[in-house]
Amino acid sequence: MPSVAFMGSHPLGERCLELLTDHDDFDVELVVTYGPDEDTWWDGCLYDLASDLGHAVVTREDERRVLDHDIDYLVSVYYPNILGEELLSHPNVAPLNLHQAELPRYRGSNVFSHAILNARGDDHWKYGTTFHIMAPEVDAGDILARSFVPIRETDTARTLYDRVTEASVEMFREQLPTLVDGDVHSLATPQDAYDGERYFYTKASLDGAKEIPPERLAADDEQTQLEVYDKIRALDFPPFQPAYTTLAGRRINLTATSYTDLFESSSVPEFDVEETVSASAPAQD
């Protein structure tokens, strides 16, 4: 029976831990996550869930407790810390990560936003999620599986995040038999075997990029209008600060999200936006 140390967060981390717990062929030795009283933007608490499921659980400050356990796999799902070589080399079989972006195309952070910003120029209208072996370099390990959803012209970063989560859960479920068999190294594909653009974005990659000057909002050429429209969608990820403009010294937030429910019985106009996906978009893997 493969033993696992699970390191993660977010609702996706909760759902993957539940899959491991419900599977008769895995023994979850330890869970490492945010503390139950830490302020996070997402719903749910992996710490409380792990405790309710009967697992030993520690916070990120005690992540080295993983080294006290003889484990076959270290599984990371939205774990924020970069792991050192001692932790990465500790599992008997492999350290694995579920990265909610297409590898090797998108490494790093803020990828939902950058994928929308790049989709039109790259003519790449799909968004991926990747299960891969971890390496010392961030998001650089061999790939076990990828799954894709379309990027729609009406998507915001948040709707894309919500939709690809479902694809990630299903991909994780499908890979569990591979983990049981221990075939991860023989089935993994090196990232240099894939073609296409390569991007790496830091956590600060959107800093200073959210203000849109009024003159760009007022531009009447199609290229500028599309660039502004895509930027507003790409930065629309509640509860974070969206794109904005400044008028008369006041900040005006710019979002593509519908706020109809905020106005109760007030009349709020709805605008139809034609939804198109490029006919030449790459086929899903």
Side-chain angles (χ1 to χ4, degrees), residues 111-269:
V111 180
F112 295 97
S113 296
H114 289 293
I116 291 174
L117 289 170
N118 294 336
R120 198 177 302 278
D122 289 352
D123 195 22
H124 192 77
W125 293 93
K126 65 177 183 177
Y127 188 89
T129 182
T130 307
F131 197 43
H132 69 101
I133 298 172
M134 283 192 280
E137 189 177 1
V138 176
D139 299 332
D142 294 351
I143 292 172
L144 279 169
R146 301 191 302 176
S147 183
F148 292 89
V149 299
I151 298 176
R152 301 167 180 161
E153 274 205 330
T154 51
D155 267 324
T156 66
R158 184 59 190 262
T159 63
L160 193 55
Y161 164 87
D162 290 338
R163 193 164 68 255
V164 80
T165 293
E166 299 305 317
S168 297
V169 170
E170 187 56 34
M171 179 182 66
F172 188 80
R173 186 198 315 272
E174 292 173 352
Q175 291 304 306
L176 292 182
T178 301
L179 271 62
V180 172
D181 294 340
D183 294 333
V184 293
H185 288 287
S186 61
L187 296 177
T189 303
Q191 292 197 23
D192 58 14
Y194 294 88
D195 297 325
E197 299 290 339
R198 307 290 178 95
Y199 299 98
F200 178 81
Y201 296 105
T202 68
K203 291 182 179 180
S205 59
L206 298 177
D207 291 356
K210 295 187 176 183
E211 183 168 13
I212 301 176
E215 56 269 22
R216 284 187 64 79
L217 289 173
D220 59 4
D221 65 285
E222 183 178 18
Q223 180 176 344
T224 302
Q225 288 180 349
L226 287 173
E227 289 175 355
V228 169
Y229 173 66
D230 290 342
K231 189 170 188 177
I232 291 172
R233 296 187 300 117
L235 298 175
D236 191 348
F237 197 116
F240 299 102
Q241 168 70 54
Y244 66 91
T245 194
T246 303
L247 297 172
R250 296 179 180 273
R251 176 177 292 189
I252 310 297
N253 287 339
L254 304 169
T255 74
T257 301
S258 171
Y259 290 92
T260 304
D261 58 337
L262 300 180
F263 294 90
E264 297 179 349
S265 61
S266 300
S267 176
V268 179

